[in-house]
């Protein structure tokens, strides 16, 4: 039986930086490129961040959620 890690590995990326990038530059997918999620970043770039709505919600979720990860699955730093 597998147990969750007591000290999960943390990313070198910050959730605050990712959230602010996503709120202000999310139409270009910058917050997602910052965290290494290139596919989602390209989708946001092509849709202008879901006309801004997707980017805004995504940015807020980066700021308030404690379980956001980078592309390698590591938790973002606070």
């Amino acid at each position: 039986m597998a147990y969750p890690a007591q000290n999960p590995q943390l990313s070198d990326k910050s959730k605050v930086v990712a959230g602010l990038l996503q709120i202000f530059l999310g139409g270009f997918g910058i917050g997602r490129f910052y965290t290494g999620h290139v596919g989602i970043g390209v989708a946001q770039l092509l849709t202008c961040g879901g006309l801004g709505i997707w980017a805004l919600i995504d940015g807020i979720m980066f700021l308030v959620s404690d379980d956001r990860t980078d592309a390698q699955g590591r938790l973002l730093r606070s």
Side-chain angles (χ1 to χ4, degrees):
M1 181 168 160
Y3 293 99
Q6 294 297 326
N7 294 322
Q9 189 176 20
L10 291 177
S11 174
D12 57 340
K13 307 293 183 190
S14 166
K15 73 176 193 172
V16 174
V17 172
L20 292 175
L21 284 171
Q22 195 60 19
I23 289 172
F24 294 111
L25 297 171
F28 302 109
I30 301 300
R32 288 303 190 146
F33 286 120
Y34 171 74
T35 60
H37 296 104
V38 177
I40 296 174
V42 169
Q44 288 183 340
L45 180 63
L46 295 175
T47 64
C48 295
L51 299 177
I53 297 168
W54 178 14
L56 178 64
I57 292 171
D58 205 23
I60 292 169
M61 292 301 294
F62 269 116
L63 294 174
V64 300
S65 179
D66 289 331
D67 61 349
R68 287 296 181 123
T69 60
D70 64 8
Q72 288 78 33
R74 300 175 295 181
L75 288 174
L76 296 177
R77 295 186 181 277
S78 295

